[in-house]
Amino acid sequence: MSESNTMPSFKETEPVDFVIIGAGSAGGIMARELSGAGFNIVVLEQGPYRQQHEFSHDELSVAINNELLGGMNDVHGQTFRHYEHEEAQQPAVQPVRYARGVGGSSVHFTANFWRLRPSDFKERSLLGPIEGTNFADWPISYEELEPYYAKVEWEIGVSGAPGPFDAPRSKPFPMPPLPIKSSGVLMEKGAEKLGLHAQVEPLAILSRAHNGRPPCINCGYCMYYGCEVGAKSSTLAAMVPLAEATGRCEIRAESVVIRIETNDQGKADRVVYLDASGTERAQAARSVLLCANGAETSRLLFMSASSRHPDGLANSSGFVGRNLMHNAHSLGYGVFEHPLNDYKGPQVSRIIHDFYESDTARGFYGGGGIDARPLFSATPILHALNAMPPDVARWGSEWKDAISYNFTRQLALVASTTSLPLDRNNITLDPQSKDIWGRPAIRETYHDHPDDLAIAAFLQDVSMQVLDAAGAEKVWRMPVEASTGGEHLLGTCRMGDDPSTSVVDRYHRSHDVPNLFICDGSSMVTSGRGQPTMTIMALAFRAAEHIAAAARRGEV
Amino acid sequence: MNPDWSRRRFIGSGGTLSGAAWLKLTTPGLVAAAASACDAMESASAFVNLSEAQARELSAISARLIPTTSTPGAIEAGVIHFIDQSLAGEMAAERAAAFQGLSEFLSGLNPEQPNRLFSELDAADQDAYLKDREGTDFFEFMRLMTIYGFFAMSSHGGNRDHLSWTLIGFEGHGAWTPPFGHYDSETEV
């Protein structure tokens, strides 16, 4: 693909229609949609351009040494603190975790694809204000986004079947669910006894051939890994080849953006980056699309500060980097009498969404879903290091007996929940630490709102009941505690109608710079209940349509 | 989703000799050494980075961490060859710290008998001493390296004949068709 004859090579000094920064979930869709609409595109991606046959099952390389994340944190220098008054520390692994490379985190994700529901877009109106938070309605409704959810399902490729609580859909799933696993059967059994409803998990993984791509082979290497057959619906597999086939999309991998420049008219006109050799280059652009994820997008806007934009580009509101939301999580484990062999097949086959909606009777805000999966028991090293029962010795024959028995018999019930948007949870530039390219490192400040932890704990109690009802021999729970980082990078450039409390408008155009568009997890106003990529992709399809129309009208 | 405690726990549980560096077993160095590691496993001799004495002591430690019982353990999996090989290439910078850690581990054995070797103790004494050292950087380093060498792909030098995978019922890499396990097979029509 990268060596395709159709790959154009645009001149840096001649403005292309769009420079897209980031080739991930949103950027990959933007590249395809806008090149397909006839525009010339340069995509700048900081990670490498891996082809699918290059993905491996090497657990040491992928899961331990973080190959797809671009290595350990000594490369990236990220820092973390819970509160602003603390000095941020640099942990061994990046607190803010995302895959670097063409396809972005859609390459290594687990592919759980939940739509938001109508309530997600207007919870502030439905539930009232929550003191001390930036809880707000979205400027768009579920109904407005729904056609684009359907587009994701059909064009990106999502398998599944409707559940009892799902939001209305305009089209059926394009393909049936993947096979139910033992973890799914046990969840169904436990849920039924409790009067709950286990439903099919929608997955961005093909259950049959679709759009020229092959179906899943159930190898089990989804979470953290790239899919070597192209059945997992990354933008690398589903969108990038279509973008390149237009002959109007040039992907420049290993291009590390350091600044977006604006001209005297206040428009973005150049994107400055370091190429693979470290040489500084700049691409001229008529418009810039920033799709780098909620952390990188914020960093780049701060790094693009100038006399005209002293607090960072597009940041007159001061909302850039604020309201970071990870989704909270909780985790309960169970071991069963017979082997589940849950390492086979995609992670999740069944979920419980009975507690999706917030309920004032609980005494706190929040909702979420529970899924059944092997989690770390999909591979041996992660099981050995992360998933052993707490009452078992850490080494020796007792340890060996436990892992020999448990590995195939263990499952995890994982709850994913809401996060409230808070000023104090944010991305800023670290004042000291830098990455190996010399950029100020990402500094995360984050402590979950008490309600986020309360709903996570509430769902953990439900999970333990489900495990018991399913007949687990042994169960245990992991402590519910404040996050020290995350993969879901939401809310940091939220969309809104009011330029004083949002960064982009309802069509993802930045309020401050008329030809700068921002679309990725940062656009989300609320967190949903976990599994945000479906929504990020739907937003990207919708934004691309509006941006293309605006460009045709000469309004960028 | 990836619960945030996942990586924190396995890194946090490392208590490593020099932070992240111990975990940075980057692929190129290891792959380059993998072929010779396989050869070494076959010949059961030549170590690339370890002296025979170092290999004997490290191997004895790994043998208590994952012991040979009625089933194979670290010895049969060739964990020592993984350790030997992973101290090559980009791990070379950490090798001195590892040897220093081993040296201190051995010197703490019995001050009255400075030349005493861990490998000479009986299993119960070995376990007692290891328990005493649990939580130290060197112990945690050896625990991680033993787990990696036992379970990582054989191309990294250990996990001979995938015997660790067989032990835990992991069939490794493949394309699978349902039913996968007991409970989904029960519901199959």
Side-chain angles (χ1 to χ4, degrees), chain B residues 9-73:
Chain B
R9 271 181 65 88
F10 75 68
I11 297 304
S13 70
T16 54
L17 282 165
S18 52
W22 279 117
L23 302 169
K24 240 183 68 184
L25 313 180
T26 54
T27 316
L30 286 172
V31 168
S36 62
C38 292
D39 293 346
M41 281 201 320
E42 294 312 315
S43 68
S45 60
F47 291 102
V48 181
N49 292 293
L50 304 174
S51 69
E52 289 292 336
Q54 288 167 331
R56 185 181 61 233
E57 299 309 306
L58 293 174
S59 191
I61 294 167
S62 73
R64 295 318 302 159
L65 296 175
I66 306 182
T68 305
T69 54
S70 58
T71 52

Side-chain angles (χ1 to χ4, degrees), chain A residues 231-246:
Chain A
K232 187 158 81 174
S233 296
S234 65
T235 55
L236 176 70
M239 291 284 110
V240 170
L242 303 178
E244 291 190 313
T246 65

Side-chain angles (χ1 to χ4, degrees), chain A residues 171-400:
Chain A
K171 292 174 82 172
F173 281 98
M175 67 197 87
L178 284 142
I180 189 167
K181 304 173 65 172
S182 280
S183 55
V185 172
L186 291 166
M187 174 178 252
E188 283 185 345
K189 182 179 169 191
E192 192 176 354
K193 280 192 187 167
L194 297 171
L196 304 175
H197 305 78
Q199 65 180 83
V200 168
E201 169 69 332
L203 288 169
I205 300 174
L206 305 185
S207 61
R208 62 186 184 204
H210 183 73
N211 293 346
R213 294 163 45 214
C216 176
I217 60 170
N218 295 305
C219 78
Y221 284 82
C222 301
M223 189 176 83
Y224 304 144
Y225 294 81
C227 179
E228 72 273 25
V229 300
K232 187 158 81 174
S233 296
S234 65
T235 55
L236 176 70
M239 291 284 110
V240 170
L242 303 178
E244 291 190 313
T246 65
R248 288 184 290 272
C249 179
E250 179 186 356
I251 294 177
R252 293 186 198 152
E254 297 176 65
S255 298
V256 174
V257 178
I258 56 175
R259 194 166 62 248
I260 300 168
E261 292 186 344
T262 53
N263 61 19
D264 291 341
Q265 287 77 51
K267 286 190 156 188
D269 64 348
R270 269 172 27 117
V271 178
V272 183
Y273 66 100
L274 307 176
D275 69 14
S277 71
T279 305
E280 187 171 311
R281 316 182 76 95
Q283 176 63 50
R286 292 194 181 84
S287 298
V288 174
L289 269 55
L290 184 48
C291 305
N293 82 41
E296 289 282 18
T297 285
S298 301
R299 167 163 70 165
L300 187 56
L301 292 171
F302 289 132
M303 286 176 64
S304 301
S306 61
S307 54
R308 209 178 290 113
H309 303 279
D311 300 320
L313 197 58
N315 193 27
S316 64
S317 64
F319 267 55
V320 169
R322 276 158 71 173
N323 302 314
L324 177 65
M325 299 174 286
H326 281 323
N327 300 115
H329 295 100
S330 61
L331 172 56
Y333 283 113
V335 176
F336 290 82
E337 182 184 0
H338 301 290
L340 283 61
N341 297 328
D342 235 42
Y343 65 85
K344 297 181 178 181
Q347 281 265 330
V348 181
S349 65
R350 289 295 181 276
I351 56 175
I352 291 173
H353 268 186
D354 292 67
F355 304 98
Y356 190 98
E357 300 293 346
S358 193
D359 181 352
T360 49
R362 290 183 205 131
F364 49 83
Y365 163 78
I370 302 170
D371 67 58
R373 59 166 88 185
L375 193 64
F376 302 126
S377 304
T379 49
I381 296 175
L382 290 185
H383 179 104
L385 297 178
N386 292 322
M388 300 288 286
D391 60 347
V392 166
R394 295 176 67 236
W395 51 277
S397 58
E398 181 184 326
W399 179 90
K400 187 182 161 194

Side-chain angles (χ1 to χ4, degrees), chain A residues 57-58 60-61 63-66 72 74 92-93 97 179-180 182 185-186 217-219 221 223-224 329 331 336-341 343-344 373 376 380-382 385-386 394-397 399-400 403-404 407-408 414 478 481 483-485 487-488 531, chain B residues 1-11 13 20 23-27 30 64-69 71-73 82 127 130-131 134 139-140 143-144 147-148 151-153 156 165 167-171 173-176 178 180-184 187:
Chain A
H57 290 181
D58 186 340
L60 201 55
S61 174
I64 303 298
N65 291 327
N66 295 320
M72 304 297 281
D74 52 350
V93 173
R97 294 178 289 274
I180 189 167
S182 280
V185 172
L186 291 166
I217 60 170
N218 295 305
C219 78
Y221 284 82
M223 189 176 83
Y224 304 144
H329 295 100
L331 172 56
F336 290 82
E337 182 184 0
H338 301 290
L340 283 61
N341 297 328
Y343 65 85
K344 297 181 178 181
R373 59 166 88 185
F376 302 126
I381 296 175
L382 290 185
L385 297 178
N386 292 322
R394 295 176 67 236
W395 51 277
S397 58
W399 179 90
K400 187 182 161 194
I403 195 170
S404 301
F407 179 77
T408 58
V414 177
M478 299 299 289
E481 50 193 27
S483 308
T484 53
E487 289 79 11
H488 301 169
Q531 326 310 2
Chain B
M1 85 100 234
N2 304 313
D4 67 277
W5 55 76
S6 59
R7 287 157 197 274
R8 189 186 70 227
R9 271 181 65 88
F10 75 68
I11 297 304
S13 70
L23 302 169
K24 240 183 68 184
L25 313 180
T26 54
T27 316
L30 286 172
R64 295 318 302 159
L65 296 175
I66 306 182
T68 305
T69 54
T71 52
F82 168 84
D127 285 356
L130 281 171
K131 205 158 187 56
E134 193 167 351
F139 175 92
E140 298 301 331
R143 179 173 177 270
L144 273 181
I147 287 172
Y148 294 162
F151 287 120
M153 289 171 75
H156 290 298
W165 294 357
L167 174 73
I168 64 172
F170 178 57
E171 290 174 65
H173 316 300
W176 312 116
F180 305 129
H182 174 83
Y183 300 95
D184 52 318
T187 62

